[in-house]
């Protein structure tokens, strides 16, 4: 087992922890946190392939592609968290709960 | 694979498990901060300094604060995970099955046998800046637009709606 597959295994486990949280927790905030963990695991994959992949070492042109992907992914994840939490606040104010098993309708 | 990487990976994974399994929401948020910080430190250990620091700034600095604020603003909705809940069991089983598939795919693929490069590719901040403003200038602009739209959208969504009667009263006053 080389460092690359160790990184990939860690990322896979983080992804699955996030998936388990998103599937099994009933608080909407924790569902969002689980999705953030899954995005973080994907970022770890990008960094691992950038660091250990053989493409980056051979070609100068694409040497920074992995880094760029992670930067933009972090930006999109932050945007997603902001809108998601604002939505949770709006729903909480309306339905007086943030339990995803109790919020069954969108109609106000 | 260094000792630092193994330690950081263990801390990150343990904090992530704690964040997803603790009964109280505030404890979950604190464990989540540790998990994000550990992930940022893994990036640093892998040689991606700029990304690691960006991860620390954005996740530990901004997203964690957002989550804590959301937890505090939705007080009284704190639900502990019911231990015997069916969704908890099936969610864990599904996640474990996904992990088994992913781990099998990683271990049997060619990736686990290739010779990995020793030195990290160069990623000086200057090079990243030059690349951002040359090859990646369009994505950069798009993400700037996205973040502006998100700022406005989040404010509109979280805006406290006044009840109709109260607005009527304010108008007549």
């Amino acid at each position: 087992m080389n460092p690359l597959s160790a990184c990939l295994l860690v990322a896979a486990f983080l992804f699955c922890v996030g998936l388990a949280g998103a599937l099994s927790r009933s608080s909407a905030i924790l569902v969002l946190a689980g999705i953030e963990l899954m995005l973080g695991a994907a970022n770890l994959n990008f960094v691992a392939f950038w660091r250990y992949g053989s493409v980056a070492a051979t070609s100068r042109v694409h040497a920074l592609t992995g880094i760029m992907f992670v930067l933009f992914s972090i930006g999109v994840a932050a945007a997603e968290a902001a809108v998601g939490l604002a939505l949770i606040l709006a729903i909480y104010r309306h339905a007086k709960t943030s339990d995803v098993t109790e919020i069954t309708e969108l109609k106000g | 694979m260094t000792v630092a990487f193994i330690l950081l990976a263990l801390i990150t994974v343990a904090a992530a498990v704690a964040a997803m399994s603790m009964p109280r929401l505030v404890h979950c948020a604190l464990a989540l901060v540790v998990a994000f910080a550990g992930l940022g430190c893994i990036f640093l250990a892998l040689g991606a300094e700029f990304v690691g620091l960006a991860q620390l700034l954005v996740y530990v600095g901004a997203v964690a604060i957002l989550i804590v604020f959301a937890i505090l603003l939705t007080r009284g909705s704190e639900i502990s995970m019911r231990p015997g809940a069916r969704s908890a069991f099936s969610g864990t089983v599904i996640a474990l099955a996904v992990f088994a598939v992913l781990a099998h795919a990683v271990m049997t693929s060619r990736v686990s046998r290739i010779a990995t490069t020793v030195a990290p590719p160069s990623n000086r901040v200057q090079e990243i800046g030059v690349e951002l403003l040359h090859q990646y200038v369009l994505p950069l602009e798009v993400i700037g637009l996205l973040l502006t739209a998100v700022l406005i959208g989040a404010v509109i969504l979280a805006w406290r709606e006044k009840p109709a009667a109260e607005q009527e009263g304010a108008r007549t006053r």
Side-chain angles (χ1 to χ4, degrees):
Chain A
M1 193 162 87
N2 57 12
L4 176 55
S5 52
C7 280
L8 294 184
L9 281 180
V10 170
F13 193 77
L14 269 183
F15 180 88
C16 294
V17 170
L19 183 67
L23 286 179
S24 62
R25 297 305 297 256
S26 59
S27 165
I29 297 169
L30 278 180
V31 172
L32 205 68
I35 294 172
E36 292 290 326
L37 269 182
M38 288 153 76
L39 280 166
N43 287 345
L44 179 55
N45 268 359
F46 279 130
V47 173
F49 277 115
W50 163 81
R51 170 69 176 77
Y52 295 114
S54 50
V55 180
T58 50
S59 83
R60 290 282 305 153
V61 186
H62 301 296
L64 283 171
T65 309
I67 295 287
M68 291 301 162
F69 255 105
V70 180
L71 283 178
F72 289 118
S73 160
I74 287 177
V76 173
E80 176 246 331
V83 173
L85 290 171
L87 269 175
I88 291 173
L89 280 189
I91 291 174
Y92 174 75
R93 211 170 281 142
H94 189 79
K96 298 281 173 275
T97 181
S98 63
D99 188 335
V100 288
T101 56
E102 285 176 23
I103 304 164
T104 51
E105 55 186 28
L106 286 172
K107 201 176 156 208
Chain B
M1 199 166 35
T2 58
V3 181
F5 175 78
I6 296 174
L7 281 178
L8 285 171
L10 282 179
I11 290 173
T12 307
V13 165
V17 170
M20 288 295 122
S21 62
M22 279 187 172
R24 291 182 72 88
L25 279 184
V26 179
H27 296 171
C28 294
L30 294 179
L32 198 69
V33 171
V34 177
F36 284 148
L39 199 59
C41 292
I42 291 180
F43 291 169
L44 289 178
L46 286 176
E49 287 90 8
F50 187 71
V51 168
L53 291 175
Q55 162 91 11
L56 284 178
L57 274 178
V58 172
Y59 276 95
V60 182
V63 173
I65 301 296
L66 264 180
I67 288 178
V68 169
F69 260 95
I71 288 173
L72 296 182
L73 285 174
T74 57
R75 269 292 172 178
S77 68
E78 208 160 291
I79 321 125
S80 61
M81 191 165 64
R82 294 172 291 275
R86 261 181 64 217
S87 69
F89 178 71
S90 52
T92 311
V93 168
I94 290 172
L96 282 178
V98 171
F99 178 68
V101 172
L102 285 177
H104 179 257
V106 168
M107 295 313 285
T108 53
S109 72
R110 218 158 48 83
V111 158
S112 62
R113 287 188 301 276
I114 60 170
T116 54
T117 52
V118 182
S122 86
N123 63 331
R124 294 190 0 247
V125 178
Q126 187 187 0
E127 290 172 17
I128 294 176
V130 168
E131 281 287 293
L132 268 181
L133 287 181
H134 283 96
Q135 197 183 346
Y136 297 95
V137 68
L138 184 63
L140 185 73
E141 297 291 333
V142 169
I143 208 158
L145 192 66
L146 172 77
L147 287 175
T148 313
V150 160
L151 184 67
I152 299 169
V155 167
I156 289 175
L157 278 177
W159 198 266
R160 187 181 292 276
E161 293 172 41
K162 287 203 177 80
E166 200 177 310
Q167 277 178 354
E168 204 62 37
R171 218 170 287 147
T172 52
R173 219 174 290 143

